Amino acid sequence: MASTNSWTHEIESSVAASRLFRAGVMDWHTLAPKLAPQIVTSAHPVEGEGGIGSVRQFNFTSAMPFNLMKERLEFIDVDKCECKSNLIEGGGIGTAIETATSHIKVEPAANGGSVVKVESAYKLLPGVEVNDEITKAKDSVTAIFKAAEAYLIANPDAYN
C-alpha cells in the first residue's frame, strides 16, 4: 500500500510578503528561466490565465532529477498571499509519486519582511522510499525564493 507523507519548510525574507508572493509564486514561470537558468530552462502557462484551474509547465536542466513538471492551481488568494497546487505531470508522478500537493503562504513579518511557509504532501507509489529527496526539495524551494528576493532587492520598483 502506498504511504502518504509530508514536509514543511519556512524561509525568512527581507522582502514584503505581497511582492515576494507575486514574484516567487504568481509570476515565477516568467522569472525562473531568467533568475535560475542553472535549474529552469523554460516555463510557460499551459492553460488558463493564472486563476484556479490554470496549469503551468516548468522544464528543467540536468540539475533536477526530472526534466519537467506541470502543476495545476487549485486555490489562490492573492490578498492573503496563499495558494495550493497539485502536481499533474512530471516531477516523479507515475514513477515514484502517485500524487503531490503543495501549499504556499507568504506571511508578513514584524520587520517589514516576510516568512514563506511551504507544506508539501505526497503519496508514494508502493515500494518507493524517500532518501534525500526532501532535503533537495527544501533546498530547491529555498533557492526559488532567495532568487526572487535578490531580484526584488535589486529592482525595488518591481512587483509593487
Side-chain angles (χ1 to χ4, degrees):
M1 177 174 209
S3 62
T4 300
N5 300 287
S6 66
W7 56 265
T8 59
H9 189 54
E10 290 190 7
I11 306 153
E12 293 183 11
S13 174
S14 62
V15 173
S18 61
R19 290 183 71 215
L20 191 59
F21 182 76
R22 288 194 311 271
V25 176
M26 298 305 301
D27 202 31
W28 188 242
H29 61 280
T30 302
L31 291 176
K34 298 172 190 168
L35 303 181
Q38 72 280 14
I39 299 170
V40 180
T41 58
S42 64
H44 61 276
V46 175
E47 39 181 273
E49 300 293 324
I52 294 173
S54 294
V55 176
R56 299 188 295 186
Q57 178 173 322
F58 294 85
N59 299 303
F60 301 107
T61 68
S62 59
M64 294 292 282
F66 38 82
N67 62 354
L68 73 89
M69 175 185 84
K70 286 185 184 176
E71 63 179 9
R72 177 182 296 117
L73 192 60
E74 302 296 340
F75 169 82
I76 184 158
D77 187 329
V78 176
D79 294 331
K80 292 184 179 177
C81 301
E82 182 176 8
C83 73
K84 294 179 184 177
S85 61
N86 286 330
L87 185 62
I88 60 171
E89 186 179 328
I93 290 286
T95 57
I97 300 169
E98 185 177 319
T99 60
T101 61
S102 64
H103 178 201
I104 299 173
K105 185 165 183 154
V106 185
E107 298 179 344
N111 64 1
S114 57
V115 177
V116 179
K117 295 183 177 184
V118 180
E119 182 177 346
S120 180
Y122 55 94
K123 189 173 185 180
L124 297 173
L125 290 171
V128 174
E129 292 183 20
V130 175
N131 297 314
D132 59 347
E133 286 85 355
I134 292 172
T135 299
K136 288 179 185 176
K138 289 180 179 182
D139 289 347
S140 294
V141 170
T142 300
I144 287 168
F145 283 99
K146 288 302 179 180
E149 175 186 58
Y151 173 80
L152 293 169
I153 290 169
N155 297 276
D157 294 331
Y159 297 93
N160 279 318

